[in-house]
Amino acid sequence: MSEERSIARHPVPDARNPWVIDTQDLGRRPGASREVVRTIRAETAVGFPDVIEIPVGASYRLRLLLESVVEGVLVSGSVTAPTTAQCSRCLDAIDDEVSVEVTELFAYPDSTTEATTEEDEVSHLVDDLVDMEPLVRDAIVLALPQVPLCRPDCPGLCPDCGLKWVDLEPDHGHEKIDPRWAALVERFSASDSNGSAPEDSK
Ligand SMILES: [Zn+2]
Ligand SMILES: [Zn+2]
């Protein structure tokens, strides 16, 4: 009875969704495997708006290996997608791409893994279908830089006139400021260029 309930909790993925892969041909034979290469158009933007994202219409390139194992289907491989971003220092547009490696076991509804694992800790096969979208989305979001830079040593903008330092003369400056303030300004910009997100290191 509890098993029935657990199966019913997983909605059946839509087989027409390009993120959904049918694994039926693996036939639940451990050892059987198949490569899946797919290009999928982004229907929604993924990432951090106005910072970095995979825009609508971009193409995700999936190169995956599906392997039938005792407990389910193991999916591993890489996903690559183009990103559009804005340099957090000079605000230049950055066109780049993000690539992630994924490895995920999609457990059979009646497997030991399914029975012994907390609901949220395992992916599931539903009607032999695997839905790659949540997995890929999470991996991509984690892989995106939260402070994108056009180049690691981007000098940013002059705080006084807002022009890019790369376009300015080396001796560019505005009215003289008190040297004690200058030291303070330098300290702030040094901690600014540190780049890593404060919550990320834990
Ligand atoms: Zn820059
Ligand atoms: Zn200036």
Side-chain angles (χ1 to χ4, degrees):
M1 179 186 143
S2 68
E3 192 178 72
E4 247 177 53
R5 210 173 57 223
S6 107
I7 294 168
R9 259 184 282 158
H10 309 302
V12 181
D14 181 355
R16 293 163 303 175
N17 181 334
W19 290 98
V20 174
I21 301 171
D22 193 342
T23 69
Q24 197 176 7
D25 57 343
L26 294 175
R28 292 203 174 198
R29 294 183 309 274
S33 68
R34 174 162 67 96
E35 243 193 325
V36 172
V37 176
R38 259 185 211 185
T39 302
I40 302 174
R41 183 183 180 276
E43 299 290 342
T44 55
V46 168
F48 311 102
D50 300 324
V51 179
I52 183 166
E53 56 185 16
I54 292 95
V56 173
S59 293
Y60 289 87
R61 301 191 300 284
L62 283 66
R63 184 170 286 274
L64 304 172
L65 181 68
L66 274 50
E67 294 171 90
S68 178
V69 295
V70 174
E71 296 290 291
V73 174
L74 184 67
V75 180
S76 60
S78 67
V79 180
T80 305
T83 56
T84 57
Q86 194 180 46
C87 175
S88 57
R89 290 190 200 143
C90 74
L91 312 182
D92 265 4
I94 310 167
D95 291 321
D96 202 350
E97 61 174 34
V98 62
S99 195
V100 293
E101 300 290 321
V102 293
T103 305
E104 184 82 355
L105 173 67
F106 288 83
Y108 294 131
D110 49 9
S111 67
T112 322
T113 303
E114 166 78 26
T116 57
T117 317
E118 282 299 307
E119 178 63 13
D120 291 340
E121 289 174 359
V122 67
S123 295
H124 312 274
L125 274 170
V126 186
D127 288 358
D128 291 311
L129 301 171
V130 301
D131 182 0
M132 292 301 294
E133 189 169 21
L135 177 66
V136 168
R137 181 187 290 255
D138 288 355
I140 293 259
V141 167
L142 278 176
L144 291 174
Q146 296 187 357
V147 184
L149 296 172
C150 63
R151 57 177 220 230
D153 61 346
C154 171
L157 306 173
C158 169
D160 293 313
C161 64
L163 294 176
K164 281 191 270 181
W165 281 116
V166 286
D167 298 335
L168 297 169
E169 297 299 320
D171 61 351
H172 171 80
H174 299 270
E175 79 275 20
K176 275 265 176 276
I177 53 171
D178 185 311
R180 283 169 298 179
W181 282 111
L184 202 63
V185 167
E186 219 177 283
R187 260 180 46 200
F188 272 115
S189 55
S191 64
D192 235 357
S193 60
N194 200 2
S196 63
E199 295 300 320
D200 219 18
S201 54
K202 283 178 191 137

